Amino acid sequence: MKLQRKNRVRALAVGALAVSGALALSACGSDNTSGGPGGSSSAKAANIKCDGKGKLLASGSSAQKNAMDVWVQNYAGACQGTEINYQPTGSGAGVTTFLQGQTAFAGSDSPLKPEEIAKSKTVCKGGEAIDLPMVGGPVAVGYNVPGVDGLVLDAPTLAKIFDSQITNWNDEAIKKLNPGAKLPDLKIQAFHRSDDSGTTDNFTKYLKAASGGAWKHEPAKKWEGTGGQAASGSAGVSSQVKQTSGAISYFELSYATAGKIPTVKISTGATAPVEATVDNASKAIAEAQPAGQGNDLALKLNYTTKAEGAYPITLVTNEIVCDKGNKADTLPATKSFLTYVASKDGQDALKALGYAPLPTEIADKVRKTVATLS
């Protein structure tokens, strides 16, 4: 049974990678008897409290798309008559759509800005938008360099690669970090996100914080680096890396795992370079500090960690909702779905997909806050 469950999860992740662009993830439990990779619908039904009927619209972060695939399928297996439609349009687009009052919640890999919280008061009648951390994990740097395994890079070198200052794979800076590797005389093909992306925001926050001044641009959801090539969404940039010799880009570990794309080990100043794994990302996320006010649970990540085994390029995807003033027709289903997502069952489904479950203390706060939404 455990083997079957793992195979189902792996198959779903691979299938998710093959779909690019804005994908509507619809879940209506009328014909679903499998309950998804997490187990049978009857098993899940006992752990999911189903409230509300009809369609729940949401959009945003493509980083959490593979997690949403599993959550939506499991929820549909338990809750008849509720349709969850999540479109992975990117964090920036998701926040914009939410602030226009078009969705019940949004996914964003960057916390809300003060001006976004202020604007949300027109949508959240009597309240305001808040961040609920829900999905953690490493931002992997995937590469396609024939004959090179176990590539090591550091923040200054990555900054120069993605700002077109280092343009060939046999550059001396890369050689110094990889003694003994047979680095080819091959042009670097750096890919970045074309859409406004929380993954880009987190990646450039790392470059700015850890590169010692090599990254000259301000962190942002919109790509500000010099040169390179663009593709839409995590699925877009990861597929470009997989098919392009000399390519390098940044995307969530689940895309690297599903596409069998090798990932860079990061030299952080610890005794050994750190691999992009769920456990190593969890060590870095554990150093995050609270950054929100009131019911806002936004976190400030430590991109300059030198802790042994802590992978520094991480992100936390937030589900953005109104603390008060949520739409009455979708509030019951929103609370029901987010309660499941933040539950132990919901979080336990993440690790096999390349995500990091929330630390227990943070997950407890999220569950308590979801219960108070009105």
Side-chain angles (χ1 to χ4, degrees), residues 276-294:
T277 68
V278 169
D279 289 338
N280 290 346
S282 294
K283 293 176 184 177
I285 293 172
E287 298 183 21
Q289 297 297 315
Q293 301 293 324

Side-chain angles (χ1 to χ4, degrees), residues 291-322:
Q293 301 293 324
N295 288 327
D296 192 295
L297 302 180
L299 299 172
K300 183 178 181 180
L301 299 171
N302 180 11
Y303 299 101
T304 60
T305 180
K306 292 180 175 57
E308 296 298 324
Y311 183 79
I313 319 176
T314 59
L315 61 75
V316 172
T317 302
N318 303 289
E319 312 309 336
I320 295 171
V321 293
C322 299

Side-chain angles (χ1 to χ4, degrees), residues 5-266:
R5 186 173 302 169
K6 289 181 179 178
N7 287 339
R8 288 175 183 171
V9 170
R10 187 177 298 111
L12 182 57
V14 171
L17 181 67
V19 181
S20 62
L23 173 66
L25 306 179
S26 296
C28 36
S30 58
D31 297 316
N32 188 327
T33 57
S34 68
S40 68
S41 60
S42 59
K44 287 296 174 188
N47 298 315
I48 298 176
K49 184 177 184 294
C50 302
D51 287 322
K53 297 287 184 180
K55 179 178 289 189
L56 194 67
L57 298 178
S59 66
S61 166
S62 65
Q64 68 172 357
K65 176 197 173 301
N66 294 341
M68 276 289 174
D69 278 347
V70 172
W71 286 334
V72 167
Q73 189 173 351
N74 286 346
Y75 188 82
C79 299
Q80 303 285 329
T82 302
E83 181 181 348
I84 311 286
N85 185 307
Y86 181 82
Q87 298 186 24
T89 55
S91 296
V95 171
T96 297
T97 303
F98 176 81
L99 294 178
Q100 292 172 344
Q102 298 180 29
T103 51
F105 68 90
S108 177
D109 308 319
S110 301
L112 290 163
K113 297 177 181 178
E115 59 267 29
E116 291 171 333
I117 294 175
K119 186 176 181 180
S120 74
K121 294 179 181 180
T122 63
V123 175
C124 306
K125 304 299 184 183
E128 62 185 23
I130 58 173
D131 297 282
L132 300 176
M134 206 67 78
V135 182
V139 178
V141 180
Y143 67 96
N144 181 347
V145 184
V148 177
D149 296 317
L151 183 68
V152 176
L153 297 173
D154 58 14
T157 307
L158 278 168
K160 292 173 184 177
I161 286 173
F162 280 93
D163 207 26
S164 299
Q165 297 175 49
I166 294 177
T167 59
N168 202 288
W169 281 109
N170 64 357
D171 188 274
E172 289 300 323
I174 303 176
K175 285 182 178 179
K176 186 176 180 180
L177 290 165
N178 296 272
K182 295 181 179 179
L183 295 164
D185 182 5
L186 177 66
K187 183 180 178 181
I188 294 174
Q189 307 282 350
F191 286 88
H192 57 265
R193 292 278 290 273
S194 60
D195 51 320
D196 285 2
S197 160
T199 309
T200 294
D201 192 26
N202 282 274
F203 182 61
T204 54
K205 281 177 179 175
Y206 161 74
L207 294 179
K208 186 71 172 181
S211 69
W215 186 254
K216 307 297 184 182
H217 314 280
E218 288 304 311
K221 292 179 182 177
K222 182 178 180 180
W223 183 256
E224 300 290 346
T226 302
Q229 303 174 67
S232 178
S234 296
V237 290
S238 60
S239 64
Q240 287 295 332
V241 171
K242 188 172 179 63
Q243 68 188 22
T244 306
S245 180
I248 186 170
S249 190
Y250 55 93
F251 36 82
E252 295 70 43
L253 180 62
S254 60
Y255 290 87
T257 301
K260 297 182 179 179
I261 300 170
T263 60
V264 171
K265 295 180 180 179
I266 303 298

